[in-house]
């Protein structure tokens, strides 16, 4: 090793049995690209998370709102007509099923929203990321199926008892679209996790 001006020159002896090309290729290995769904423990800021997590939170919040409004529009009874009791959704088993499904979607969306905020803010490990991705995918699929089946069964009965049937139709369709988008997003996250 000698210093020439401002440049430091290091002389290396070749290693026995190794060509210079293989030595250089060993030292210049590319680092594996990390998954976009992981981030270092040292960086817990909101800006360190990929944008897919923000869109997931927004979709969960929209599912929470739409399912709440759908359940509320089902529970709101029609105005009382002359000589009749006000119509109620509890007299129809199809509407009760629909109300229960929207309540489940509301609770599930609230839990997913809580978990997402906790993971982003405190990096709290409520559930490991791998288990969370599998559970989210399975439960999103299940709730999407329950939403579409309950709406298709209850559509005729909702028109009979409530003047808010149009609001219920719009909100239930919006809740299904948001839940279907959450299902696609959770499937994408799961596939990316399996591939990486």
């Amino acid at each position: 090793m000698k210093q020439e001006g401002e440049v430091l020159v290091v002389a290396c002896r070749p290693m026995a049995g190794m060509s210079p090309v293989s030595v250089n290729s060993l030292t210049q290995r590319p680092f594996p690209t990390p998954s976009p769904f992981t981030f270092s423990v040292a960086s817990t800021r909101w800006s360190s998370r990929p944008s897919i997590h923000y869109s997931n939170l927004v979709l969960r919040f929209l599912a929470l709102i739409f399912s709440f409004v759908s359940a509320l529009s089902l529970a709101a009874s029609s105005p009382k007509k002359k000589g009749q009791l006000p119509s109620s959704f509890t007299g129809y088993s199809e509407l009760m099923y629909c109300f229960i499904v929207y309540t489940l979607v509301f609770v599930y969306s609230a839990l997913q929203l809580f978990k997402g905020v906790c993971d982003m803010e405190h990096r709290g490990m409520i559930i490991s990321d791998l288990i969370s991705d599998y559970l989210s995918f399975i439960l999103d699929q299940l709730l999407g199926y329950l939403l579409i089946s309950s709406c298709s069964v209850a559509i005729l009965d909702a028109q009979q008892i409530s003047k808010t049937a149009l609001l219920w139709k719009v909100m239930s369709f919006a809740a299904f679209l948001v839940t279907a988008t959450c299902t696609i997003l959770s499937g994408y996250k799961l596939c990316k996790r399996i591939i990486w």
Side-chain angles (χ1 to χ4, degrees):
M1 177 161 60
K2 65 179 183 174
Q3 186 168 1
E4 296 179 2
E6 300 214 5
V7 177
L8 182 65
V9 178
V10 178
C12 295
R13 283 184 275 156
M15 295 170 46
M18 300 282 289
S19 71
V21 174
S22 64
V23 171
N24 283 338
S25 65
L26 288 176
T27 60
Q28 296 179 352
R29 283 188 200 160
F31 294 137
T33 307
S35 171
F37 305 110
T38 60
F39 62 98
S40 71
V41 176
S43 66
T44 57
R45 293 184 151 160
W46 283 74
S47 61
S48 65
R49 297 292 280 204
S51 64
I52 195 167
H53 294 286
Y54 297 120
S55 55
N56 190 22
L57 283 179
V58 170
L59 287 172
R60 298 295 179 182
F61 179 72
L62 289 175
L64 181 85
I65 296 297
F66 292 148
S67 62
F68 177 75
V69 172
S70 296
L72 190 64
S73 66
L74 272 179
S77 60
S78 295
K80 187 176 180 179
K81 296 180 183 175
K82 294 179 184 176
Q84 295 180 349
L85 294 173
S87 300
S88 174
F89 75 100
T90 56
Y92 298 89
S93 60
E94 295 88 359
L95 293 178
M96 274 302 290
Y97 169 58
C98 197
F99 181 77
I100 290 170
V101 167
Y102 280 113
T103 305
L104 286 174
V105 171
F106 176 77
V107 169
Y108 174 70
S109 299
L111 289 174
Q112 283 286 352
L113 193 61
F114 175 74
K115 182 197 175 302
V117 169
C118 284
D119 281 350
M120 291 179 77
E121 186 65 29
H122 303 293
R123 190 59 182 133
M125 293 299 289
I126 296 173
I127 301 174
S128 72
D129 287 338
L130 182 64
I131 293 173
S132 173
D133 286 346
Y134 276 107
L135 277 177
S136 294
F137 178 70
I138 291 169
L139 291 176
D140 284 342
Q141 293 281 333
L142 179 66
L143 288 177
Y145 170 74
L146 287 175
L147 277 175
I148 197 71
S149 69
S150 67
C151 288
S152 63
V153 166
I155 193 89
L156 293 175
D157 291 334
Q159 290 176 340
Q160 292 176 2
I161 69 157
S162 178
K163 289 188 175 180
T164 60
L166 180 62
L167 175 67
W168 175 76
K169 285 180 191 176
V170 171
M171 287 296 122
S172 62
F173 183 69
F176 172 71
L177 282 181
V178 169
T179 305
T181 307
C182 287
T183 302
I184 292 170
L185 190 63
S186 62
Y188 172 75
K189 285 172 61 177
L190 184 63
C191 288
K192 289 294 279 187
R193 182 170 297 283
I194 291 171
I195 290 171
W196 284 100

